[in-house]
Amino acid sequence: MAVSQTDFSAKEPSLGYFYQVKYALLLLLTNAKNLENPKIRIEHLDDVDIEDINSVNLYQTKLHIKNKANLTDSSVDFWKTIRIWSEHISNGTVNVDHTIFNLITTEAVPDTSILYKLKDNNFKDSETQEIIDKLDIIALNSTNDTNRKAYEAYSQLSVDNKKKLVQNIRIIDNSIDISEIDSKIKKQLIFSTYPDYLDAFLEILDGWWFKKAIENLVGRIESIPSEELQLKIVNIGDSFKADNLPNHFPDQMEITDDEVENLKEKNFLKQLELISISINSRTVKRAISDFRRAFEQRSKWLRLQLLNPDEEEEYDKRLKDYWKNIFDIMSDEADGKGSDELKDLGKNFYIEQFAKTCPQIKIREKFNEDFLTRGSYQILADSKKIGWHPNFKNEL
């Protein structure tokens, strides 16, 4: 079925923001090698800006998911961008002498356009005035009302600032589109991990990057330094080594009352009820979070072939052996006890041994996340292989 114009107009803005954030990651990866301790900001001076101790690079990203058109002399994309840059110069927000103005577009600049000379700054100093004269004519004579404010902002620049602006513009046309950007990023990461792990590596980096981008957008952090990105890449790389595994679920999940209600028939929650832990308690919500994180993490490792099924089985065996050792001690204490005393004994066993503390049983030597151990115990409890109440097998 054909896609309508309305479908495109609805999708482009959303994909544009996604493209902008992803392109920011690509820009920081590629510029980190050439700039002096660069840091990146999103939606600050421009869509993206990269600053180091010597210069500022501003980037406008223009994504078009329809058939690619040409970027013409009177293009709305070009003049909207010129307006932003002109206002920054007029307001003194940027130093035009030390700023590179980049327009990145998926459209093409025809060689008949004056903008063609701005591709990669591909013109001689003697041609600068020719470009300015052409832009002046467009700004003065065009009847395009959409561009009116852009023409006004450009026209208010001094002759000297127009010259400096034009000399510092870079148009990068026919840029990669949204379907190609991941492959470009992976090429920058090619030596960061094993070839088979690149997709999994990028998935983790993406999650971290979007979180940092949101923090930057809402003002929690001023910028994202290249050093921080470098340290994250090293950290992710370490997690793919033979004695470690990547953590795809680093954050505690927020469990709602509705989620508790939907899961209340699960055996691992019934096991907690057996030892008088209220279904509405924070303890239960933490158990659900651990259960879900562990289940999803283990499934992801297996799906990505980072974990061998035999290794997973051996891990569960070690978890169960540890539990059995201390469960037998608790069961000896349960002999002759009444119903309420058994519940108290089981509750104390669970809280002291598996909630307040966590058994130090690792699936890999350097993977030290407690949620995996606690959650894996909840998975075993859900399959009734272990329990907390001394008589859990009979009570369930």
Side-chain angles (χ1 to χ4, degrees), residues 184-229:
K184 288 288 187 181
I185 292 172
K186 282 191 282 188
K187 284 182 179 179
Q188 294 295 322
L189 300 171
I190 195 167
F191 296 115
S192 301
T193 190
Y194 301 104
D196 290 345
Y197 296 163
L198 264 177
D199 287 338
F201 189 104
L202 180 56
E203 183 177 340
I204 296 172
L205 183 61
D206 268 347
W208 175 84
W209 180 256
F210 273 89
K211 183 178 178 180
K212 299 301 290 187
I214 290 169
E215 289 177 355
N216 182 223
L217 284 166
V218 300
R220 290 199 198 106
I221 58 175
E222 181 187 355
S223 61
I224 310 171
S226 63
E227 286 183 351
E228 189 172 353
L229 175 60

Side-chain angles (χ1 to χ4, degrees), residues 117-269:
K117 293 181 179 294
L118 300 176
K119 284 183 55 170
D120 301 320
N121 208 240
N122 188 26
F123 61 92
K124 301 174 183 176
D125 287 345
S126 58
E127 297 176 283
T128 302
Q129 192 58 50
E130 175 191 349
I131 298 170
I132 293 171
D133 290 344
K134 180 66 174 177
L135 296 179
D136 283 348
I137 291 170
I138 295 169
L140 182 64
N141 297 326
S142 175
T143 58
N144 186 333
D145 193 56
T146 303
N147 290 343
R148 181 174 54 82
K149 290 186 178 179
Y151 298 147
E152 292 173 358
Y154 167 77
S155 298
Q156 288 172 7
L157 294 178
S158 67
V159 173
D160 190 45
N161 278 338
K162 285 180 182 178
K163 180 179 179 181
K164 290 175 181 178
L165 171 62
V166 166
Q167 289 176 334
N168 287 343
I169 289 177
R170 311 285 187 271
I171 296 180
I172 301 97
D173 68 340
N174 287 316
S175 179
I176 55 172
D177 65 24
I178 200 159
S179 64
E180 301 168 309
I181 197 164
D182 276 356
S183 64
K184 288 288 187 181
I185 292 172
K186 282 191 282 188
K187 284 182 179 179
Q188 294 295 322
L189 300 171
I190 195 167
F191 296 115
S192 301
T193 190
Y194 301 104
D196 290 345
Y197 296 163
L198 264 177
D199 287 338
F201 189 104
L202 180 56
E203 183 177 340
I204 296 172
L205 183 61
D206 268 347
W208 175 84
W209 180 256
F210 273 89
K211 183 178 178 180
K212 299 301 290 187
I214 290 169
E215 289 177 355
N216 182 223
L217 284 166
V218 300
R220 290 199 198 106
I221 58 175
E222 181 187 355
S223 61
I224 310 171
S226 63
E227 286 183 351
E228 189 172 353
L229 175 60
Q230 181 184 6
L231 288 173
K232 187 61 183 179
I233 289 171
V234 171
N235 177 262
I236 297 172
D238 285 344
S239 74
F240 281 90
K241 293 180 179 177
D243 58 354
N244 205 348
L245 285 163
N247 181 4
H248 294 86
F249 304 95
D251 298 322
Q252 184 76 16
M253 294 179 176
E254 293 294 328
I255 306 300
T256 66
D257 292 339
D258 287 342
E259 288 174 289
V260 176
E261 180 67 22
N262 291 336
L263 292 170
K264 67 180 182 180
E265 295 304 314
K266 296 287 289 183
N267 285 324
F268 78 98
L269 294 188

Side-chain angles (χ1 to χ4, degrees), residues 304-365:
L304 295 173
Q305 297 184 330
L306 300 174
L307 184 68
N308 188 299
D310 291 340
E311 190 178 3
E312 182 185 38
E313 186 177 336
E314 174 60 27
Y315 177 62
D316 283 342
K317 181 179 180 296
R318 288 188 285 121
L319 291 174
K320 188 175 179 181
D321 284 348
Y322 177 88
W323 164 85
K324 184 71 165 58
N325 182 56
I326 57 177
F327 182 79
D328 285 346
I329 295 171
M330 188 262 291
S331 296
D332 286 341
E333 297 176 14
D335 290 344
K337 294 286 196 300
S339 174
D340 288 343
E341 291 175 302
L342 291 177
K343 288 181 181 180
D344 289 343
L345 198 60
K347 184 175 184 178
N348 185 66
F349 173 68
Y350 174 76
I351 295 295
E352 295 299 326
Q353 300 292 336
F354 298 94
K356 285 185 178 180
T357 60
C358 182
Q360 294 303 299
I361 303 170
K362 303 174 184 177
I363 195 164
R364 294 267 178 92
E365 180 59 32

